[in-house]
């Protein structure tokens, strides 16, 4: 049985969440905290398997509560945000930085459009997060890599894919990369609808690189991180001997849009041996097929060590189909990428 502590200052919302969870045979709501102070105390007393955390609350907000819980009683926390406006998004992603595992939109009224899809996503997310082992969180100094990079001409693009646990892994990766990194970086991060702009703002606050939402047909520039927007696949194309972004609507039959595979497959096709692929923490197998294509085209395939991931399914899927050149912890991926790009490597050609 998954034991859930609901944290929300609204009794109406808390009752709705309780109804959603307790319709599942493997879920039980064991308490309702009305502010961050109560959340800290009840987490310590009740030891839930998962905490669902509101952001805007009296006495102590969700950011402060997450920080204290992850320091004193490490517990999987899913942030449930009622708004995607800039102010709340900033606080939401600060909670992710302090150790919350995921962010999802607060369910609307039962008869509102979109309720069923949010309900399903909420249940799936809480169920998945209940099995995640979290550790005590201490405040860490922000690290920015030193400038002064030079580039070996073998590589021209870095593509990155992530899902559950990805924001934390991406933050660590981008912190390690210098502002004068000589390649563009394109990222697909599965995330709940409406939160990608907040992710971009948060990542920008952590790195000297420029982080932005990808725009159709823009040239891909060195030292810029391009994040796929909602509901559009991000791919790369070449025109006039330069790389640019291509945005494509999904078919409607895909599990994820944006998806990691379309980005990786386009990188393999357009860049071949000059692409570096990085697959990070995530649920499912998206990205594994595209990673194999990058590797077979002569590019370099890095994955985050599954044991180092919040959810290791995506890297594991790539490992199962032999789509990986190197497996590294999240703290080693940035330095290894810098080494690859600065020094190059022997071109191993096409791989079976």
């Amino acid at each position: 049985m998954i034991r859930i502590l609901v944290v929300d200052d609204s009794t109406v919302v808390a009752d709705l969440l309780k109804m959603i969870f307790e319709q599942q045979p493997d879920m039980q709501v064991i308490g309702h905290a009305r502010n961050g102070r109560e959340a800290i105390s009840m987490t310590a007393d009740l030891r839930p398997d998962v905490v669902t955390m509101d952001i805007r609350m009296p006495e102590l907000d969700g950011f402060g509560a997450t920080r204290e819980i992850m320091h004193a009683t490490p517990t999987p926390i899913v942030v449930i945000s009622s708004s995607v406006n800039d102010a709340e998004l900033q606080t939401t992603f600060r909670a992710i930085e302090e150790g919350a595992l995921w962010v999802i939109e607060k369910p609307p009224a039962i008869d509102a459009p979109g309720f069923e899809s949010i309900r399903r996503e909420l249940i799936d997310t809480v169920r998945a997060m209940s099995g995640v082992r979290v550790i005590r969180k201490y405040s860490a100094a922000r690290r920015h890599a030193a400038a002064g990079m030079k580039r070996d001409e073998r590589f021209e693009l870095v593509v990155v894919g992530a899902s559950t646990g990805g924001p934390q892994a991406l933050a660590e990766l981008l912190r390690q990369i210098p502002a004068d990194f000589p390649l563009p970086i394109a990222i697909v991060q599965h995330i709940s609808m409406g939160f990608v702009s907040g992710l971009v703002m948060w990542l920008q606050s952590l790195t000297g690189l420029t982080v932005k939402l990808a725009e159709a047909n823009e040239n891909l520039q060195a030292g810029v991180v391009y994040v796929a927007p909602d509901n559009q696949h991000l791919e790369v194309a070449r025109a006039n001997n330069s790389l640019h972004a291509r945005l494509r609507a999904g078919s409607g039959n895909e599990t994820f849009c944006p998806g990691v595979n379309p980005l990786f497959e386009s990188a393999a096709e357009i860049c071949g041996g000059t692409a570096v692929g990085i697959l990070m923490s995530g649920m499912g197998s998206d990205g594994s097929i595209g990673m194999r294509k990058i590797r077979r085209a002569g590019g370099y395939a890095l994955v985050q060590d599954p044991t180092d991931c919040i959810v290791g399914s995506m890297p594991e899927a790539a490992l199962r189909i032999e789509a990986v050149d190197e497996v590294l912890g999240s703290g080693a991926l940035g330095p290894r990428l810098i080494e690859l790009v600065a020094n190059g490597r022997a071109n191993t050609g096409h791989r079976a």
Side-chain angles (χ1 to χ4, degrees):
M1 185 69 68
I2 300 169
R3 302 167 66 253
I4 303 164
L5 173 64
V6 172
V7 182
D8 201 295
D9 62 340
S10 167
T11 301
V12 173
V13 172
D15 287 345
L16 176 61
L17 292 174
K18 181 175 181 178
M19 180 205 72
I20 289 171
F21 293 136
E22 294 200 335
Q23 286 178 343
Q24 306 304 304
D26 60 340
M27 293 184 176
Q28 177 188 11
V29 174
I30 61 170
H32 170 208
R34 293 166 177 78
N35 58 61
R37 296 291 178 201
E38 287 186 7
I40 295 166
S41 174
M42 292 178 73
T43 300
D45 291 342
L46 299 176
R47 302 289 172 144
D49 298 310
V50 180
V51 174
T52 66
M53 182 69 70
D54 189 20
I55 286 296
R56 289 187 293 184
M57 295 182 292
E59 295 191 39
L60 184 67
D61 64 14
F63 164 69
T66 297
R67 179 176 55 196
E68 293 301 318
I69 289 170
M70 295 309 297
H71 175 72
T73 317
T75 306
I77 295 174
V78 176
V79 173
I80 301 183
S81 178
S82 61
S83 173
V84 293
N85 64 56
D86 287 354
E88 183 156 323
L89 280 174
Q90 288 285 359
T91 306
T92 296
F93 281 95
R94 286 171 64 206
I96 292 285
E97 188 173 3
E98 292 295 338
L101 299 181
W102 199 239
V103 55
I104 191 169
E105 184 179 356
K106 189 171 289 187
I110 294 174
D111 57 353
F115 171 81
E116 182 57 27
S117 63
I118 294 174
R119 184 193 71 85
R120 286 197 306 269
E121 184 180 6
L122 178 59
I123 290 167
D124 291 345
T125 298
V126 168
R127 186 173 285 129
M129 295 304 98
S130 68
V132 173
R133 179 180 176 272
V134 293
I135 60 174
R136 194 176 305 276
K137 179 76 176 181
Y138 297 98
S139 298
R142 293 180 178 175
R143 296 170 294 175
H144 293 285
M149 281 200 66
K150 295 182 180 180
R151 177 167 81 90
D152 184 282
E153 294 300 324
R154 285 189 178 90
F155 296 107
E156 62 176 337
L157 176 69
V158 179
V159 289
V160 183
S163 182
T164 312
Q168 296 91 328
L170 288 172
E172 185 161 15
L173 175 69
L174 296 182
R175 279 188 178 114
Q176 298 166 345
I177 299 175
D180 67 343
F181 188 69
L183 305 183
I185 301 172
I187 293 175
V188 167
Q189 164 69 58
H190 300 162
I191 198 163
S192 299
M193 182 73 63
F195 289 96
V196 69
S197 61
L199 174 68
V200 167
M201 288 187 292
W202 175 61
L203 291 175
Q204 181 63 87
S205 73
L206 304 177
T207 179
L209 299 161
T210 298
V211 185
K212 67 185 298 293
L213 283 175
E215 299 176 52
N217 302 316
E218 68 177 318
N219 289 334
L220 301 184
Q221 303 291 328
V224 180
V225 179
Y226 301 89
V227 180
D230 283 332
N231 282 334
Q232 296 184 81
H233 292 302
L234 170 60
E235 300 171 333
V236 294
R238 195 184 300 277
N240 300 320
N241 205 35
S242 65
L243 296 176
H244 65 268
R246 180 171 62 199
L247 298 181
R248 176 174 62 84
S251 66
N253 298 320
E254 299 147 316
T255 304
F256 301 107
C257 186
V260 181
N261 274 324
L263 173 61
F264 282 17
E265 289 171 359
S266 69
E269 177 184 354
I270 299 300
C271 301
T274 65
V276 179
I278 303 177
L279 196 57
M280 308 187 83
S281 179
M283 193 184 311
S285 62
D286 189 22
S288 59
I289 299 300
M291 184 71 100
R292 183 166 62 185
K293 290 184 178 181
I294 289 174
R295 189 167 187 262
R296 287 180 172 176
Y300 204 74
L302 290 164
V303 297
Q304 184 180 357
D305 187 335
T307 65
D308 180 61
C309 296
I310 288 175
V311 179
S313 304
M314 282 169 53
E316 286 170 351
L319 286 164
R320 280 197 303 272
I321 63 172
E322 300 181 352
V324 179
D325 286 305
E326 199 167 356
V327 181
L328 295 168
S330 60
L333 283 168
R336 180 59 173 141
L337 176 62
I338 291 168
E339 180 184 30
L340 283 169
V341 173
N343 300 325
R345 63 180 177 85
N347 193 330
T348 57
H350 294 257
R351 300 179 181 90

